[in-house]
Structure formats: C-alpha cells, structure tokens
Amino acid sequence: MTALHSPDHWAVYNAAQPGRAARELCQEVVSLAGPGAGRQAVDLGCGAGVETAALLGAGWRVHALDGEPTAPHLVRTTTGGAEGAGLSVAVVPFAELTELPPADLLYSGYALPYAAPDDFPRVWAAVRRSLRPGAWLAVNLFGVNDSFAGTIDGTFLTREEVERLLDGLDVLAFREEDEDGPSFSGPKHWHVFDVIARAPR
Ligand SMILES: C[S@@+](CC[C@H](N)C(=O)[O-])C[C@H]1O[C@@H](n2cnc3c(N)ncnc32)[C@H](O)[C@@H]1O
C-alpha cells in the first residue's frame, strides 16, 4: 500500500497488478464485442497491462498508453512482449494527450478520473474522436461523492455530467457504485460509474 500522493504511487500500484484477473468491465466488453480478429483496441491508462493482455488474448491489436514511465516495461512483461503480435506501448501523460489512434474498442479502467479538470475535456474529446463507427467504449469514471474528490487534482463528475459525455452513443451498461470499500491506498468511499457504450455505425 502507498499513499495516493506519494510520487511513486502509480509505479508501486502497477507493479502489484500482474497476477490478478482482468477487470470485470474489460471482460464484459470483450465478451460483448466478440473476437478481436485483428481489430484495434486502445487501453488508456493501461497500468501494468493486465487488461492489455486480456485484449491481446482475445485477438485484438492493442495500443496501450499510460503516463507512468515504468508502465511500458511492465506491460511488455505482463503481455510476454507482444509487440510482434499487435501491441504498441507509449508513455503519454493526460496533460500531453491530444490524439488517440482510431479504435474499434477503447477501454480505460480507473484511469480517466486522474486526469486534471483542465485536461479531462481534451482527453475525452480525443476518446470520442478515436471511436470508429460501431466501436466499443468501456470506462470507469469517478463521481462527486468519491472520497478522493478534493484530495487530488482529478475529475469527479455528477451522473448528469457522465450522461452528457455519452451523448450520441448507444449506452449498453451504466452502473453507479456509491459505497465504502477497500482500495490500494486503504478504505475509501467509492463513487464510480461503470459504462459500456457503442458508437453509432
Ligand atoms: C488505478 S490505476 C489503473 C491502471 C489499470 N488500468 C488498472 O486497472 O490496473 C490508474 C492509472 O492511471 C495512470 N495515471 C495516473 N495519472 C495519470 C496522468 N496524469 N496521465 C496519464 N496516466 C495517469 C497511472 O499511472 C495508473 O496506471
């Protein structure tokens, strides 16, 4: 466990992830989208690449990116160095993110809330632009009741704001969690929106 504010928090957090199962939201969208069959996915805020590996395993090509400089090494280790099999990895902090590759599936697990409010609209616009017709989107966003709100320079949204972000998409799953629970940094109040949506064809 490391404090969320410690400079090596994400390096320590991500180093502890290999070995767990892929997150349920990722498994859910992979199962809805069917075999990747060489289609392009983006794992935005990929961390150690556990979900990147799940996507590769389901036949997707994956562009994995994260702001943490230690992520590429971890992703390569987690995925067994799949660069020849459709993996690309990049270090891009949200503060510098302006464009994402065109994607048939974009997954972002527990990462977008760490974009500063000044960066989030630009990052979200890049997410929306990256979605090809019929593309799948699966993201976690944090709500205003989350106990991290006010303690970090992140983005915490109302339900209405999340709904507005999804304008024009076909929303297939929209779940809101607003309860206490454990976290890597100790017990906290989680206010999380789990979303699966699809771009129009
Ligand atoms: C809770 S972890 C989630 C990682 C991975 N998706 C997972 O589910 O294990 C948050 C991720 O966001 C990344 N992150 C945090 N702040 C960031 C920023 N400002 N720019 C880009 N990535 C950032 C961290 O490095 C970390 O990998």
Side-chain angles (χ1 to χ4, degrees), residues 52-169:
T52 301
L55 287 160
L56 288 164
W60 294 83
R61 303 174 61 79
V62 186
H63 183 63
L65 63 159
D66 199 283
E68 168 54 45
T70 57
H73 175 70
L74 272 173
V75 172
R76 289 187 186 108
T77 306
T78 306
T79 59
E83 252 105 344
L87 172 69
S88 54
V89 191
V91 176
V92 187
F94 290 133
E96 293 170 19
L97 197 152
T98 54
E99 212 55 58
L100 290 162
D104 303 296
L105 187 156
L106 188 144
Y107 171 77
S108 185
Y110 296 96
L112 283 163
Y114 299 101
D118 282 353
D119 296 326
F120 185 87
R122 173 177 28 76
V123 172
W124 188 257
V127 166
R128 290 293 304 258
R129 272 197 308 279
S130 79
L131 299 176
R132 286 178 168 148
W136 298 85
L137 173 71
V139 294
N140 308 113
L141 297 164
F142 281 3
V144 289
N145 300 333
D146 197 279
S147 55
F148 286 170
T151 75
I152 59 166
D153 194 22
T155 296
F156 300 87
L157 303 161
T158 64
R159 187 183 179 96
E160 292 69 31
E161 286 171 328
V162 175
E163 285 169 352
R164 233 173 288 136
L165 292 176
L166 303 172
D167 270 356
L169 299 176

